[in-house]
Amino acid sequence: MLKIFLRLFSYPPLVVVHGLGCLLGYLFYFGNKKFAARVKDNLSTAHIPEAEKSLNAFIRHNARESGKAILETFAIWFKPLAKAQGLVKASHGWDHVEAALARGKGIIFLTPHLGCFEITALHYAQFHPVTVLYRPSRQAWFEPIVSEGRNRGMMRQTPTNLTGVRTLLKCLKKGEAIGILPDQVPKFGEGVWANFFDRPAYTMTLIGKLLEATGATVMLAYGERLSWGRGYVIHFEPLETTGSPEEINKGIESLIRRCPTQYLWSYNRFKKL
């Protein structure tokens, strides 16, 4: 029944899905005090001009974008592949992608919780294979739904365990691309503390290890959500880095500052382990 319900979001135009997402976001804002409190806390040292000008207005806007992010996920998962890919209206920086592929060392795509991260990998996967690292859901019944939504075209997902890391290495050594959510808090022992918006955040070390082992190109990528359900613009750009957590966090910050209202500020990025 849940799958049937979630599939319903694939039928309306994206503007309708985003409209419903705005309502869902307001439910979070007005119905969950922890949501606004965490957003305020995460923004406390970020120095985002839009938030400093009017914090409450920024949080309301962010709540709407967060609601859109939830519902658009199901719309993208269950739309026919061609229609889902058709939501991408432009792609900037594709020349960097082609140059990286020509090197033959693989690409490590870093896609933070910014804009629509589901559409980014799907867009790339219509041209080339990509394997995306993901953290399995705590609800086992939800796994088949996630698998059906993501394992489409030339996109595959692999779990955040030793088997998954080995899979990523194999893909890179074949010259293929992998995708990682670089701002996801890793398990204890799999990261170090590094500044993120001037606060210590537990940050994964996996990216540096993969880079050292393969010499792959590190690429920042995100799907900018256009207003009024017009679709998405995908942005790609290389990140010159040794793979250090500090450099990775700085790269992520630079993306977030471009469209800060579309970042998932309610994510518990600075949680204590």
Side-chain angles (χ1 to χ4, degrees):
M1 290 298 294
L2 176 62
K3 182 178 176 181
I4 293 173
F5 173 72
L6 296 179
R7 191 180 290 276
L8 292 176
F9 291 103
S10 67
Y11 295 109
L14 187 60
V15 65
V16 174
V17 175
H18 280 175
L20 294 172
C22 289
L23 295 177
L24 180 63
Y26 277 131
L27 286 177
F28 287 141
Y29 177 74
F30 292 110
N32 187 342
K33 293 182 179 180
K34 289 184 179 180
F35 176 90
R38 182 172 291 165
V39 172
K40 288 179 181 179
D41 180 60
N42 287 349
L43 286 167
S44 61
T45 60
H47 303 299
I48 301 295
E50 294 92 328
E52 292 178 338
K53 181 179 179 181
S54 179
L55 181 58
N56 287 333
F58 182 92
I59 294 175
R60 288 194 298 271
H61 191 169
N62 187 240
R64 294 194 298 270
E65 296 298 327
S66 298
K68 292 177 186 178
I70 293 172
L71 296 191
E72 72 188 3
T73 295
F74 307 124
I76 291 167
W77 282 359
F78 297 118
K79 275 185 184 297
L81 191 56
K83 289 187 176 181
Q85 291 168 341
L87 295 173
V88 177
K89 303 307 177 183
S91 177
H92 300 318
W94 189 255
D95 55 325
H96 296 304
V97 173
E98 294 291 357
L101 288 172
R103 291 184 63 238
K105 302 247 180 220
I107 302 175
I108 303 173
F109 282 116
L110 305 183
T111 306
H113 293 88
L114 177 66
C116 182
F117 39 91
E118 294 289 346
I119 199 69
T120 307
L122 191 65
H123 172 68
Y124 179 87
Q126 70 178 309
F127 305 106
H128 304 285
V130 59
T131 301
V132 177
L133 189 68
Y134 85 108
R135 181 172 294 170
S137 173
R138 294 178 183 177
Q139 289 75 37
W141 53 265
F142 194 56
E143 281 302 295
I145 297 175
V146 176
S147 181
E148 180 182 343
R150 286 182 174 158
N151 293 316
R152 301 199 292 164
M154 289 187 279
M155 178 179 171
R156 294 293 179 268
Q157 58 180 11
T158 192
T160 52
N161 54 30
L162 185 57
T163 299
V165 173
R166 287 173 177 166
T167 298
L168 297 183
L169 275 171
K170 288 179 182 178
C171 293
L172 290 174
K173 289 179 178 180
K174 288 192 295 183
E176 295 179 357
I178 66 169
I180 296 176
L181 280 168
D183 53 344
Q184 189 171 62
V185 179
K187 295 179 181 178
F188 181 73
E190 298 178 357
V192 296
W193 293 96
N195 273 356
F196 183 62
F197 285 107
D198 294 327
R199 290 178 65 183
Y202 200 60
T203 306
M204 65 176 66
T205 55
L206 174 61
I207 298 163
K209 293 175 182 177
L210 292 172
L211 181 59
E212 182 179 4
T214 64
T217 299
V218 179
M219 192 86 63
L220 297 170
Y222 75 102
E224 179 185 359
R225 184 181 302 112
L226 299 178
S227 60
W228 298 102
R230 290 177 293 139
Y232 307 94
V233 174
I234 311 298
H235 300 268
F236 299 103
E237 63 180 72
L239 177 65
E240 295 296 329
T241 178
T242 62
S244 76
E246 291 82 4
E247 291 173 346
I248 298 299
N249 282 350
K250 284 295 182 185
I252 299 168
E253 285 182 31
S254 71
L255 291 189
I256 294 170
R257 291 187 184 281
R258 297 177 194 177
C259 49
T261 57
Q262 293 190 22
Y263 186 61
L264 195 65
W265 290 104
S266 58
Y267 180 59
N268 198 3
R269 184 69 179 91
F270 302 104
K271 67 180 180 181
K272 307 299 181 184
L273 301 180

